[in-house]
Amino acid sequence: MKQSFLIKYGEIGLKGKNRYLFEDALVRQIRYRLKNLSGAFHVHKAQGRIYVDCAEAYDFEEVVTGLQKVFGIVGVCPVYKTTDQGFDRLAEDVIAFVRETYGMSNHTFKVEARRSRKNYPLNSMEINCDLGGVILDAFPEMRVDVHNPDIMLHVEIREDIYIYAKIIPGLGGMPVGTNGKAMLLLSGGIDSPVAGYLIAKRGVSLEATYFHAPPYTSERAKEKVVDLARLIGAYAGPIKLNVVNFTDIQLEIYEKCPHEELTIIMRRYMMRIAEHFAGESKCLGLVTGESIGQVASQTMQSLLTTDAVCALPVYRPLIGFDKREIIEIAEKIDTYETSILPFEDCCTIFVAKHPVTKPRLERIEKSEIYLEETIDALVEKAIQTTEVIHVR
Ligand code: ATP
Ligand code: MG
């Protein structure tokens, strides 16, 4: 018997004629995820299913954990794969499978056979009955329960024969690469990594832009953002990270504009620059970690004011989430501990004591006129000096 994994996918199974595109993307994502693990894996499609065959010694937990980070997978079933060598041999394999998976146990069970190869001598009902009898003989303490069994033992007769019982839950979502690319504004905080994760979950590849303000923000703060990009990349795949030096722009805004409007004007310049890089990389939208009312720059009026500078749609997957709910996801996806490391973020240095909470667009546009003579050159310089880091 050989160990394989049967990959269950939900939503992408429903995509009609484009189904194969989604399946191929899922196969690619699985290969990418397993690439650096010990062992040799053969990921392939067969009869409308995806299997991962394990050729060499491998670490079961490591493979399952890896597969549990691939969007598009609803369930991972560890499968025993055997060739058809007659019913007696199948019976032996099934007994070995149950013993190895559950030990000596008093579980209830049901056999659920499926025969897609019609020349097999027994039909599904007969396989269910005969294998049920075999299991009862081998494990006298087990009982059949057809309604609510502890063990649902699947036996699938295809070209080969597949035996499995456990379905380990996956993340769901759609395979990355099936829904275009978006530009994530990634800060060192809790929210934006979660926002990136949620967008990637819908099959979107990510690029990211981070604004730092040396020497007001440290190298450590930047490293933290690189680490966060790497953590999201565990789900979203490789991420190109643009690190923009934002110091001169911030100082200029600080000098020329009303202080209570600093944050909002700064946010508008971040959006403009992120949109520039988004255009270069053919991103179809911008993504931020904002949620309504969380801080002054995230009121409905503030969001309207920031959106006004963007031609691309701005996606805010956390818009209706409370901080508590965001933290819960951050913990689950393993970004929380990194996000709360205490390195200053460029926004916290130039914040006003009393920022406007209901900025009026015309008013903000008027304030930006003070920047008229200098800002284009500063933005151009920031773009030219941006450092690109490929995070894998
Ligand atoms: P986060 O936890 O993601 O930092 P936050 O609650 O601190 O969010 P803000 O600082 O108002 O919120 O930022 C709102 C959003 O703007 C962030 O979620 C992020 O998408 C973007 N953003 C803020 N600061 C930066 C930065 N320095 N570089 C890139 N994007 C940023
Ligand atoms: Mg922040």
Side-chain angles (χ1 to χ4, degrees), residues 188-190 224 335-343:
I190 296 168
K224 172 177 158 182
T335 54
Y336 184 70
E337 291 300 322
T338 305
S339 287
I340 59 171
L341 293 173
F343 304 124

Side-chain angles (χ1 to χ4, degrees), residues 248-272:
D248 290 347
I249 295 174
Q250 276 191 304
L251 289 172
E252 186 67 7
I253 300 171
Y254 192 72
E255 199 182 303
K256 304 268 174 72
C257 300
H259 283 190
E260 66 276 13
E261 294 171 4
L262 281 181
T263 308
I264 202 80
I265 293 176
M266 201 178 72
R267 307 262 322 118
R268 280 160 59 93
Y269 278 95
M270 283 186 182
M271 295 306 240
R272 288 174 171 117

